[in-house]
Every structure is written in C-alpha cells, then in structure tokens.
Amino acid sequence: MSDSSPSPCTNAQSTAGTSTKHHAPTTHRALHQGHNNKNISVISWNIHDTMSRLEGPKHEDPDFYQTLYKSSIFCLQETKQEFYLPNYKCFNSNRTRSRSGGVCIGVHRSIIDQVRPVETNCPDFQALTVFPNVEDEHSRFTIINIYDSPENSSFKAKLNAGVNNSERPPSTLDQLLEFLTSKDNLGDIMVLGDLNARIGLSSPTFEDEDTETQPEFAGQPKSHPVTSDRASKDTVLNSRGKLLLDFLACTRLTVLNGCTLGDVLGEVTSVNYNGCSVVDYVAVNPNLRLCKIRAKNNIFDADDLIDQLEDTPRKYKLDNENDRLHYNFLAIQNLQYFGSKIKEIAQKQCHTSGEVIELNESLVPNLTRNG
C-alpha cells in the first residue's frame, strides 16, 4: 500500500453502494460561545465541486443546503468555482489558471457584523476573525479554512514542473505558518479543512523539558510522538502527516479528531473507491480546546447544540465518469421490486459469518438487476 492509499474500509455503512465513490461528506462542527450566550456553530465540508455534472448546482440539492443552513458559519473545500447561498455572505478564494481547489467561507447574515475577513495572500486557505461578543473588541477567534491538494495531484505536478527541490515554492503549510506568525491580532485559532495528510494515532503534545537547564523549552510542543491519547480508525502515519504534526507543534495547535467528546473513536473522514482514511481535521489552540464535536455518520456536530444533524443523510460523490452506472443507480430506486427486496433484506439478521456472506451475495444481483 502506498503512503497515500486509504486503509481498507471495515465499516459496512461506509461501503454501502459500491457504485459510488465519496470523499467524506464529512462535516466538522465546533462551537464558540457567542453574543447573548448563543452558540456559533462552524461546519467544514469538502464538497468536491459546487456543480454536479449530472445533477446541476449542489446548492439546489435540499440535502446539501439544509445541512449548511444548520450552521452559523460554513467552510467549504474544493469548491472549484465561486459559491453562494441565500442568507449567507460568502467569501470565495480560487486558484488562478486552475479549476482545481477553491475554498469558501459562508457567514449567516445574523452575525455578519461579528466577522472580519483577513487577507492571506494564498488561494488555498482563508482566514476569518470572529467577534463572539460585539461589545468586547478583545474577545475574538480566527477560523482558518484550508485545502491542501494531494502531493500527487496534477496541480502540484504543474506547480513543481521543471523546478529543482531548492527552488520549489513554499508549501501550503509553510505559507500558513508564515501567515500565523506574522499576525498578532488573530486571537484564538481554529484550523479546519482537508489537509490530505494522515497522522494515524499521533498528535503533537506539549511537554515540559528540563526548565532548570533549558528554561526556553518549557511548555514547548513535541512533534509526532510515539504514543498518543488520540483514537483513530485510520492508524497510518505518512510523510505528509509528519509534516502536519510539525506544523501543529510549531503553532501549538491540538487536533480534536479522536480525542474529543463526540468523536472518541476517531471516525474516518474520507471514503473512496479504494478505502477509508482520516484526512480532514479540526485543530485548535488551548483556549478553544474545550470545544465539543459529535460524530454522526461522518458528521461532526457541536455536542452542546440541539440534535440538528440527527437526520442528516449521507451524501456521496457519484462516479460521474460512468453515465450508465449513474442512470441505473437512479432508475432502480423507482422499481417496486427493488423497494420490497431492500425492506426484506433490512429485516434480516445475521448470526454467523456464513449468513453475512449469504446476505452480501444477495445484495449484488438486486443492485445490478436493472443494469
């Protein structure tokens, strides 16, 4: 298995419907106490383009926009073009001369006076400072919405084409580190998005060194330690993950995935045709460490909020390269035979491995009957 290959997916729910491939419809939610004690909920979601080639604009899909409407602020990655949603002020950042990537932060109109965009000079991440209490100018935190393309992507290949290693442009994380260190009025920091890095069970920790002989090291972070108090269903630590851990250590940020109430198991955030992985993260500094997230079908929800996402459906990115497959996928759902058979299968209970295999084999002809 290569360094960037997802782990085989063992969650039966996640692999339902082999006719699709999907980067986690994963939504991360975190919260910060806002004005008048109202929670400001933040969603992060890699949406794989604002436009579906076969189904049209995603903002017209009820499942899609109803999920976003449950947030005060949403952060989208891989928008690939400008994105807008009624009742939200949308800040877009897109790459020049490339339709890949793209990030967008949407702010609900009810709190638009409580936010201030910050120029980053990098199209792959954007910053928005939030003032939860409009009466207190010093009460603030900054959201960083980031998309870092895979190392083997065509965008990175074009970026580094014909360039020596010493002449390569700074990485997205390097640019983000420079941005954070050059600003002194951002307040608390929350970094979230798709980093395309796998950190396994590791996390940067803050350990007190020998403060008598080396006082300058007191409370400094330690990068990618051997042991960790995080849980994760993706145990792979790859080279990009080590770079991410170095970045988190330098900026004193802690990953919430897998070590926060609501995501104690470290749910996978990306489900593709060849497996599952965790590549989408929420990282915060110590003052925001008490944020709570809840995993529900790869949806991370603020634990203190009302159960708004309990009925949020799982959304998949269909394999648009196979039009016939997509047509069959939609057409078969209207067949009476298919509906009755699925209800029958749903009521079946398995007690042995043989019964599981038998049930799995019965699913295949039902899913391909119309093909």
Side-chain angles (χ1 to χ4, degrees):
M1 182 179 293
S2 67
D3 216 19
S4 59
S5 299
S7 304
C9 188
T10 58
N11 186 330
Q13 261 192 322
S14 298
T15 56
T18 56
S19 63
T20 63
K21 62 179 181 180
H22 44 286
H23 186 293
T26 49
T27 316
H28 292 289
R29 264 182 187 265
L31 63 85
H32 196 287
Q33 200 69 19
H35 186 47
N36 295 328
N37 293 324
K38 292 182 179 179
N39 292 328
I40 295 178
S41 58
V42 183
I43 285 180
S44 174
W45 195 354
N46 182 320
I47 63 172
H48 281 284
D49 205 337
T50 62
M51 179 75 68
S52 171
R53 184 165 63 88
L54 295 177
E55 299 176 346
K58 290 184 177 178
H59 70 263
E60 295 181 359
D61 177 354
D63 290 339
F64 180 85
Y65 65 69
Q66 286 174 9
T67 297
L68 296 184
Y69 279 149
K70 294 168 183 173
S71 68
S72 306
I73 300 173
F74 61 75
C75 300
L76 306 180
Q77 302 92 41
E78 277 201 282
T79 53
K80 301 189 178 181
Q81 55 188 306
E82 301 267 304
F83 178 85
Y84 298 99
L85 191 69
N87 295 321
Y88 285 81
K89 170 68 175 179
C90 293
F91 303 90
N92 288 276
S93 176
N94 294 291
R95 295 167 176 169
T96 57
R97 298 185 296 277
S98 175
R99 197 180 176 278
S100 64
V103 286
C104 173
I105 295 181
V107 182
H108 193 269
R109 63 181 182 180
S110 63
I111 61 168
I112 193 62
D113 293 334
Q114 296 176 240
V115 303
R116 182 184 303 162
V118 183
E119 181 62 44
T120 65
N121 296 318
C122 177
D124 292 334
F125 65 86
Q126 52 187 171
L128 185 81
T129 299
V130 183
F131 300 86
N133 188 343
V134 294
E135 298 175 356
D136 184 4
E137 179 71 15
H138 300 288
S139 174
R140 67 182 69 183
F141 70 100
T142 298
I143 298 171
I144 308 292
N145 179 28
I146 182 172
Y147 173 69
D148 194 2
S149 295
E151 206 60 38
N152 60 353
S153 66
S154 59
F155 173 76
K156 288 288 180 72
K158 293 178 182 178
L159 198 64
N160 300 319
V163 178
N164 297 328
N165 288 338
S166 59
E167 299 175 346
R168 286 191 174 186
S171 68
T172 304
L173 287 180
D174 287 339
Q175 294 180 71
L176 178 55
L177 179 60
E178 182 179 356
F179 168 78
L180 292 175
T181 54
S182 66
K183 304 291 183 180
D184 57 3
N185 59 346
L186 298 178
D188 296 324
I189 301 296
M190 175 185 295
V191 175
L192 42 74
D194 182 0
L195 280 303
N196 279 299
R198 304 171 70 182
I199 63 175
L201 297 171
S202 301
S203 64
T205 57
F206 305 94
E207 297 183 354
D208 291 333
E209 302 290 342
D210 186 349
T211 56
E212 294 183 1
T213 58
Q214 296 176 300
E216 68 273 18
F217 292 123
Q220 291 299 306
K222 178 181 178 183
S223 180
H224 48 86
V226 178
T227 60
S228 171
D229 57 357
R230 287 183 57 250
S232 179
K233 292 185 177 180
D234 178 9
T235 58
V236 173
L237 171 63
N238 63 11
S239 57
R240 293 251 319 215
K242 292 178 180 178
L243 293 176
L244 174 58
L245 289 166
D246 285 338
F247 165 80
L248 295 172
C250 290
T251 53
R252 299 181 64 83
L253 297 177
T254 300
V255 173
L256 296 186
N257 304 57
C259 62
T260 307
L261 182 63
D263 187 37
V264 294
L265 299 180
E267 298 293 337
V268 296
T269 67
S270 178
V271 183
N272 293 301
Y273 64 92
N274 61 341
C276 305
S277 59
V278 176
V279 293
D280 307 85
Y281 301 94
V282 177
V284 299
N285 63 2
N287 289 339
L288 292 179
R289 184 64 180 81
L290 295 180
C291 289
K292 300 178 182 179
I293 58 178
R294 179 170 61 241
K296 178 69 175 178
N297 286 342
N298 287 342
I299 300 284
F300 288 83
D301 185 18
D303 189 68
D304 286 348
L305 296 178
I306 299 174
D307 296 338
Q308 296 173 320
L309 295 183
E310 286 296 314
D311 299 321
T312 300
R314 181 183 297 274
K315 295 292 292 181
Y316 297 98
K317 179 189 177 188
L318 293 175
D319 185 357
N320 291 338
E321 300 301 321
N322 190 332
D323 291 345
R324 178 171 175 77
L325 187 63
H326 182 215
Y327 171 81
N328 291 340
F329 173 75
L330 296 177
I332 195 174
Q333 297 182 62
N334 296 322
L335 297 180
Q336 182 178 359
Y337 167 82
F338 180 78
S340 60
K341 192 63 179 177
I342 288 299
K343 288 182 180 179
E344 177 185 332
I345 292 174
Q347 295 174 356
K348 186 174 179 61
Q349 296 184 4
C350 299
H351 302 283
T352 65
S353 59
E355 291 177 347
V356 173
I357 295 174
E358 181 182 352
L359 176 61
N360 191 47
E361 290 177 346
S362 68
L363 284 171
V364 177
N366 284 290
L367 292 173
T368 59
R369 180 185 179 92
N370 200 47

